[in-house]
Amino acid sequence: SRCFDYTKPQVLHFLLSNLRFWLDEYRFDGFRFDGVTSMLYHDHGLGAAFVNYDRYFDAGVDEDAYAYLGLANKLVHRLRKDATTIAEDVSGMPGLAAPQKEGGCGFDYRLAMGVPDCWFKLVNDTRDEDWDVGYLWHELTNRRADEATISYVESHDQALVGGKTLLFELADSAIYDSMHKGGADHRIDRAMGLHKMARLATLAASGHGYMNFIGNEFGHPEWVDFPREGNGWSYQHARRQWSLRDNPGLLFHFLADFDAAMLDLATKQQLYRSPQPKLPFVNPGDKILAFGRGHTYFIFNFHPEKSFADYPLPVPAGTYHLILDTDEPRFGGHERLAPGQRFFSHRDDDGIDRIRLYLPSRSALVLEKEKARKTRK
């Protein structure tokens, strides 16, 4: 991203006119502002640790850049009331996604940039059996409730030249020769299981929205790289290979089908109209993470080997229906659970209502409370 001198009126006119051009000429319905951290601080946030609120409001803040961002949001929303603006800011500056009438900068959303960092850190630096689900839960939900946040597993940053999508990172070279049906490569089995779980956990725990970069939903095996001098002006990587997703003999379509089912579930359950995730159950030893969102409950077993029978989980009293399972055969899973099951809570001697579930290794379940299910129907 270019660095500008935001004290100059002609610079502001140029940048604001640029926003209007895309709104008017191409009917854009919003913008994601790249590199906002670099704009907000005179040191561009390089090597900076934003560990307390003093850091956000010291002399290092470029107040003229902040003023431009406020003007940009005011312009965009005045020209198009339904427009969406999103800030890509790693510093977490308070108020960036707060309304201007409340003293904020006016962005509609900010990106939860720590979430993809968390997933790739776990995948690259930590053995599966050492994953800390408490750390994962913290990163998935570590945000201010009064500012709208969009979470994601991966974006263009992990798909551009030099980067890998999550599936590519998990499967490595096996993605080229072992993604056919009927294969028996444990690397692919692991990659597909964690790919689905990561996306479901991120979507379900997100505060206000979920983002996907085109092609990542089916685990595109290669990067995006547009023709340039550095690659000899090649068009080889200037595309997404939709044929991989549409080929019934390959496994990619299972991931795309799961992504569609997951988004459909989020829409029908109105997840983002519900309060923040609640009732978190975290067992680091068993690698179990469970939480509720409205009347929907998400249970994850991240253990690479252990499946658990009759695993007790605290829930509000009632009857629960299994509505989604990452291990379903239609998603390339092993069908270790019968579909459409109902589960009944029981009050234990300690006065806590619990359901008992079979939790297959490296899989996730979604349950819906029966009363809410009948109401929705």
Side-chain angles (χ1 to χ4, degrees):
S1 298
R2 299 285 185 182
C3 294
F4 292 92
D5 183 349
Y6 302 99
T7 64
K8 295 181 177 180
Q10 60 267 37
V11 170
L12 297 181
H13 283 298
F14 167 73
L15 293 174
L16 295 172
S17 296
N18 185 51
L19 289 170
R20 176 155 196 169
F21 172 80
W22 289 96
L23 289 167
D24 290 347
E25 294 299 321
Y26 292 101
R27 303 294 190 265
F28 266 38
D29 60 359
F31 298 91
R32 167 192 158 281
F33 282 66
D34 181 67
V36 168
T37 308
S38 176
M39 300 170 65
L40 286 174
Y41 303 94
H42 290 298
D43 61 7
H44 307 297
L46 298 174
F50 298 91
V51 295
N52 58 59
Y53 279 76
D54 293 341
R55 178 66 177 87
Y56 295 125
F57 303 108
D58 62 16
V61 176
D62 188 335
E63 296 178 1
D64 295 298
Y66 189 93
Y68 158 68
L69 291 172
L71 287 171
N73 276 290
K74 188 171 185 177
L75 173 77
V76 171
H77 290 112
R78 178 172 291 183
L79 291 174
R80 183 163 179 169
K81 295 187 182 303
D82 65 335
T84 299
T85 57
I86 305 171
E88 185 205 43
D89 167 49
V90 73
S91 77
M93 174 177 275
L96 204 60
Q100 292 185 346
K101 63 182 180 182
E102 298 177 8
C105 191
F107 282 99
D108 296 299
Y109 299 93
R110 67 189 319 146
L111 293 182
M113 298 185 69
V115 174
D117 291 344
C118 170
W119 285 118
F120 279 80
K121 180 178 176 62
L122 287 172
V123 168
N124 291 324
D125 302 339
T126 311
R127 299 186 310 167
D128 290 7
E129 55 268 35
D130 295 331
W131 279 27
D132 183 348
V133 292
Y135 157 72
L136 174 60
W137 173 252
H138 172 76
E139 290 297 334
L140 289 174
T141 57
N142 180 26
R143 54 182 173 267
R144 285 183 292 272
D146 55 350
E147 292 186 79
T149 306
I150 293 178
S151 296
Y152 57 106
V153 177
E154 55 199 336
S155 72
H156 68 290
D157 289 331
Q158 289 78 40
L160 292 173
V161 62
K164 289 183 178 180
T165 60
L166 185 68
L167 189 74
F168 200 177
E169 197 73 64
L170 286 162
D172 200 40
S173 61
I175 202 169
Y176 290 113
D177 51 28
S178 299
M179 285 293 288
H180 57 276
K181 279 187 178 179
D185 193 317
H186 69 90
R187 293 173 297 175
I188 296 300
D189 191 56
R190 168 181 175 266
M192 292 187 62
L194 290 176
H195 189 273
K196 290 178 285 186
M197 294 180 73
R199 304 183 96 73
L200 181 63
T202 302
L203 175 139
S206 174
H208 306 87
Y210 172 78
M211 181 181 74
N212 174 67
F213 181 73
I214 188 169
N216 288 0
E217 70 276 11
F218 66 88
H220 198 281
E222 291 186 343
W223 51 88
V224 175
D225 187 17
F226 295 102
R228 55 188 173 84
E229 185 178 1
N231 64 13
W233 305 104
S234 171
Y235 284 85
Q236 181 180 353
H237 293 290
R239 80 285 189 253
R240 300 271 85 179
Q241 300 180 68
W242 299 108
S243 59
L244 298 176
R245 183 258 181 270
D246 297 333
N247 189 333
L250 298 176
L251 301 177
F252 293 102
H253 74 90
F254 287 129
L255 299 177
D257 291 344
F258 175 78
D259 190 82
M262 178 183 74
L263 296 178
D264 183 60
L265 178 144
T267 301
K268 288 180 177 178
Q269 302 298 117
Q270 299 183 334
L271 283 189
Y272 297 134
R273 294 186 182 180
S274 302
Q276 300 289 320
K278 61 184 180 181
L279 295 174
F281 176 89
V282 180
N283 188 318
D286 293 340
K287 313 298 179 197
I288 302 295
L289 171 64
F291 57 90
R293 191 77 183 256
H295 297 285
T296 314
Y297 294 83
F298 301 85
I299 304 101
F300 300 84
N301 178 6
F302 282 99
H303 204 289
E305 298 174 348
K306 290 184 180 179
S307 298
F308 299 95
D310 297 324
Y311 200 91
L313 290 169
V315 294
T319 302
Y320 294 82
H321 292 257
L322 175 62
I323 58 175
L324 190 67
D325 173 12
T326 62
D327 202 42
E328 293 180 52
R330 63 183 174 131
F331 305 136
H334 300 290
E335 198 176 9
R336 288 172 287 179
L337 275 176
Q341 292 189 59
R342 289 195 303 167
F343 304 95
F344 306 93
S345 67
H346 296 276
R347 181 155 296 182
D348 291 340
D349 294 338
D350 57 6
I352 297 177
D353 294 296
R354 292 183 174 89
I355 52 175
R356 284 170 167 75
L357 305 172
Y358 174 53
L359 302 180
S361 60
R362 201 176 276 150
S363 69
L365 313 177
V366 183
L367 309 181
E368 182 181 18
K369 205 164 185 286
E370 186 171 79
K371 184 177 180 180
R373 180 183 179 88
K374 290 179 178 178
T375 301
R376 182 166 58 82
K377 287 184 175 180

